[in-house]
Amino acid sequence: MTMIREIEELFKQQVRVWPQLVKGIEGLTQAKTRRVRIDWFDIFIRHIPHRVGSTTAAVDRKSIAKRPCFLCAENLPPEEEGMRFGEDFTIYCNPFPIVDHHLTIVHREHGLQHIASRFGNMLDLAAALPGYFVTYNGPECGASAPDHMHFQAGLRGLLPIEQETAGLTGITVPNYGRNVFLLRGRDRAVLIHRMDRAIELLAGTIGKRPEPMINIAVFYERGTWAAYLFPRKKHRPEVFHRGELTVSPASIDLCGIFVVPLAQDFERITGDAIAAIFREITLPDDQFREVAERLESEL
Ligand SMILES: [Zn+2]
């Protein structure tokens, strides 16, 4: 059985026994979506009330230390079951979906969210799931469990970034309103090496611990991977801290599905506001160009 079939089976089984998941899937079917066009690209703004917990999650060290980890197997609801992926991971249905077939892929052991040495797992996951995206949110870039290594995945039907970057061969996407590196290739080892190098260069520029602030999304189709690396300057935008908009962009938002849990925000948020948020939270142009030039010169 292919993994996609196994995931279908997992959803069927989990929907039968796990009311929270049913509620999440129903919530998603009621989600309203509004499209805004910014320059030459689309953003789908999605009003998903059940995402409010993730959007506003306290992810500072103190709050994290105080709560039981919701990704550790012993703390999962009794109905929640997963399927193995490789040596180290278990795939679960995400009860707070943003897209159809939203999955959380969780490391079996409790340990920091950290991409080094794990990007290969991400590529393998994407290769097993054509038609899906696989994302990684850095510990200060949208992961609501920064203390437990995990990825997310889901059907990528709506994600505009794939169409918008189709045919681009460079490692950057010009005039895209958010700075993103695009690494494509058919060779797993080469891609891992390039990603490691990009992260290393970003660490020199952003200088963050234990890794530079990043989001990653990976797609796989017909033997080729496309990996999008978003270097970040900031976790949450000022409008969040000022209480003006309840938004906390992570990989999926940067790929073009912008989640707003509150109805009033859904009504009033504009494409310009989203463009400003993207500029504010991703790496500024000059620093981005510097890293891009170094990376290009090494290709
Ligand atoms: Zn844990």
Side-chain angles (χ1 to χ4, degrees):
M1 192 154 56
T2 68
M3 209 165 95
I4 286 185
R5 279 278 304 284
E6 285 178 70
I7 285 168
E8 295 289 345
E9 293 301 318
L10 180 67
F11 268 98
K12 274 189 203 155
Q13 184 274 337
Q14 287 284 272
V15 158
R16 279 198 293 270
V17 299
W18 189 15
Q20 174 87 66
L21 177 65
V22 175
K23 211 175 145 198
I25 292 171
E26 276 172 12
L28 185 66
T29 62
Q30 284 156 25
K32 286 190 204 141
T33 304
R34 183 158 70 80
R35 189 177 76 154
V36 289
R37 190 131 183 107
I38 310 170
D39 293 335
W40 56 276
F41 52 89
D42 284 326
I43 301 291
F44 293 94
I45 306 168
R46 270 201 148 171
H47 175 221
I48 312 178
H50 65 228
R51 291 300 300 180
V52 72
S54 285
T55 300
T56 59
V59 289
D60 60 285
R61 206 169 289 231
K62 243 183 167 170
S63 311
I64 293 295
K66 265 196 280 184
R67 60 116 172 91
C69 173
F70 59 88
L71 293 182
C72 273
E74 62 267 29
N75 298 330
L76 298 181
E79 309 94 321
E80 184 168 1
E81 276 177 47
M83 56 181 260
R84 283 181 81 98
F85 178 73
E87 294 276 294
D88 297 328
F89 288 89
T90 306
I91 298 177
Y92 296 101
C93 305
N94 188 323
F96 305 104
I98 298 174
V99 295
D100 288 333
H101 285 51
H102 199 146
L103 304 165
T104 312
I105 301 90
V106 181
H107 198 281
R108 288 208 184 86
E109 280 166 32
H110 185 83
L112 281 188
Q113 181 79 331
H114 194 47
I115 193 64
S117 81
R118 293 285 174 210
F119 182 60
N121 297 120
M122 220 181 151
L123 294 177
D124 296 340
L125 197 54
L129 295 172
Y132 280 66
F133 63 79
V134 180
T135 58
Y136 169 80
N137 292 323
E140 293 173 359
C141 306
S144 40
D147 53 340
H148 195 133
M149 177 63 208
H150 66 285
F151 301 111
Q152 295 184 52
L155 287 176
R156 68 174 185 260
L158 196 63
L159 280 186
I161 198 170
E162 186 176 24
Q163 294 283 329
E164 287 164 347
T165 59
L168 291 182
T169 51
I171 61 160
T172 61
V173 183
N175 309 315
Y176 198 43
R178 73 214 92 153
N179 284 323
V180 55
F181 294 106
L182 173 49
L183 309 177
R184 281 189 207 277
R186 304 173 75 87
D187 187 321
R188 185 179 180 275
V190 169
L191 274 176
I192 292 172
H193 173 73
R194 281 189 188 158
M195 182 58 81
D196 286 350
R197 188 61 189 135
I199 291 172
E200 198 179 358
L201 288 170
L202 287 170
T205 302
I206 306 176
K208 272 276 183 175
R209 69 299 145 185
E211 67 183 16
M213 293 171 75
I214 49 171
N215 297 101
I216 303 174
V218 179
F219 306 158
Y220 180 85
E221 214 60 56
R222 290 184 295 278
T224 302
W225 285 280
Y228 300 84
L229 168 65
F230 301 92
R232 297 281 295 258
K233 183 184 153 200
K234 243 184 183 182
H235 175 205
R236 284 168 170 151
E238 287 308 309
V239 284
F240 177 91
H241 297 296
R242 289 201 300 264
E244 290 166 25
L245 288 170
T246 302
V247 295
S248 183
S251 303
I252 297 176
D253 307 80
L254 286 162
C255 286
I257 298 181
F258 198 87
V259 176
V260 288
L262 303 187
Q264 78 241 30
D265 293 346
F266 180 70
E267 302 302 330
R268 68 181 176 179
I269 196 166
T270 61
D272 286 346
I274 292 171
I277 289 169
F278 281 165
R279 275 197 302 276
E280 180 188 351
I281 61 163
T282 56
L283 197 65
D285 291 345
D286 51 341
Q287 289 177 311
F288 179 74
R289 264 198 306 274
E290 206 180 288
V291 175
E293 278 164 22
R294 285 281 301 277
L295 207 53
E296 258 159 4
S297 73
E298 292 176 13
L299 292 183

